[in-house]
Structure formats: C-alpha cells, structure tokens
Amino acid sequence: MKAYIIVDVTITDPALYEDYKKLTPGSLIPYEGKFIVRGGMTETLEGDWIPGRIVILEFPSVEKARAWWSSDTYAPAKALRQSASITRMILAEGFE
C-alpha cells in the first residue's frame, strides 16, 4: 500500500532552505519516493488552517517512507531543513 509524507513548512531561513531543496530529490531515489506536491499555491477551503509551504511525498510503502526519513542518505538534507524551517510532518497510509 502506498504511503504519503505530508509536510507543512514555515521557512525561517530562505537561503538555507534553497540548499535543502537541492539535496532532497536525490535522497528519494533509493526509496522510490517522489514529489506529488512541492510548494505550489494553497487555498484554505474550511477551518482556520493557514499552511506554509506544503509538500507531499509518495512512497510505495510505509516502510520505505520511514526508511527514507531515518536514512543516512536524507540526514544531511534533514539537518538543513530543521535549521531553516519550522516543520509539521506526518506519515499517512494510502487507500486502495
């Protein structure tokens, strides 16, 4: 079953975050991850959610998503993101 990592990011250091954006795509390849949404326009339809930058990643399984997030491959990019932003991130199972 596919899995999705859904991220709401508030960027605090735009220059450092640009470095993060360059590192992340290559880290996804070994885990068969791909971007579904990467910072495009958002519109709140209900409730009081005012999102920052929204990113959605798709993986073939929860295991691969977790493996990517905790990998040595992603670790340098993750450290940059954590330094350059305030992040809310969840892992969600897909529906078949």
Side-chain angles (χ1 to χ4, degrees):
M1 182 176 304
K2 290 184 180 179
Y4 299 88
I5 292 181
I6 303 165
V7 190
D8 182 357
V9 180
T10 301
I11 298 169
T12 57
D13 185 334
L16 193 57
Y17 197 83
E18 286 300 314
D19 292 338
Y20 166 74
K21 286 170 40 179
K22 293 173 189 169
L23 287 178
T24 303
S27 74
L28 294 168
I29 294 168
Y31 304 93
E32 303 174 67
K34 67 179 182 178
F35 290 100
I36 302 298
V37 174
R38 192 175 188 198
M41 189 276 307
T42 62
E43 177 183 350
T44 301
L45 299 176
E46 291 189 31
D48 59 1
W49 184 14
I50 302 171
R53 176 183 171 84
I54 297 296
V55 178
I56 301 175
L57 301 162
E58 180 183 84
F59 293 87
S61 68
V62 167
E63 293 76 23
K64 288 218 177 194
R66 281 192 191 121
W68 168 76
W69 184 82
S70 63
S71 71
D72 290 340
T73 307
Y74 180 54
K78 184 195 293 187
L80 283 176
R81 177 183 47 76
Q82 291 172 338
S83 295
S85 68
I86 299 165
T87 305
R88 289 161 292 283
M89 182 183 298
I90 64 169
L91 173 60
E93 282 187 331
F95 176 75
E96 290 187 32

